[in-house]
């Protein structure tokens, strides 16, 4: 997994690329730290370029949500497609984290 961060209209948009799996734990932890330190209240994970997510990846997204909640930031998932969208749907993540198309 790789990522890039862009500031748009009062929100930080973090675009994840590739595959989000257990092996990306350290990278995602570093990203969560960056998200917590930036000054913008709204943090958006853009999943449109993410090709695959496994159960560990879903768990890491939930950790990100918890950390953003602790930092009083709004956390949103956006643009999931294909396998990623199916996994988010099956896991019923929308009940916990807002998901935008």
């Amino acid at each position: 997994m790789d990522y890039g961060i862009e500031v748009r209209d009062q929100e930080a948009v973090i675009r994840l690329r590739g595959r989000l799996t257990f092996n990306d734990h350290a990278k995602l932890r570093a990203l969560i730290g960056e998200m917590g330190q930036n000054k913008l209240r709204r943090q958006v994970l853009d999943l449109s370029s993410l090709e695959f997510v496994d159960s560990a990846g879903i768990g890491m997204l939930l950790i990100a949500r918890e950390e953003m909640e602790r930092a009083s930031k709004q956390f949103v998932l956006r643009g999931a497609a294909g396998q990623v969208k199916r996994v988010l749907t099956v896991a019923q993540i929308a009940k916990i984290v807002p998901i935008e198309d």
Side-chain angles (χ1 to χ4, degrees):
M1 176 206 68
D2 291 313
Y3 65 89
I5 301 175
E6 180 181 344
V7 174
R8 291 190 212 157
D9 301 324
Q10 304 301 314
E11 65 183 18
V13 178
I14 302 95
R15 177 168 288 183
L16 301 183
R17 293 180 295 273
R19 300 168 60 87
L20 180 58
T21 67
F22 176 78
N23 295 332
D24 297 304
H25 179 77
K27 256 190 216 178
L28 196 65
R29 273 289 184 188
L31 171 59
I32 292 168
E34 287 182 53
M35 291 166 63
Q37 290 176 1
N38 78 47
K39 295 178 183 178
L40 296 169
R41 187 178 171 278
R42 183 172 161 91
Q43 305 292 309
V44 178
L45 278 189
D46 182 338
L47 307 178
S48 62
S49 296
L50 196 65
E51 301 164 2
F52 176 86
V53 64
D54 66 7
S55 59
I58 294 295
M60 289 184 279
L61 293 176
L62 294 177
I63 290 169
R65 185 200 67 84
E66 289 172 8
E67 293 295 324
M68 293 306 98
E69 189 174 282
R70 282 191 196 118
S72 299
K73 295 183 182 250
Q74 182 182 15
F75 181 68
V76 177
L77 302 176
R78 179 184 292 160
Q83 186 269 353
V84 176
K85 187 172 187 172
R86 286 189 301 275
V87 169
L88 293 176
T89 300
V90 169
Q92 299 182 1
I93 296 302
K95 290 183 176 180
I96 303 167
V97 180
I99 299 177
E100 301 174 350
D101 286 329

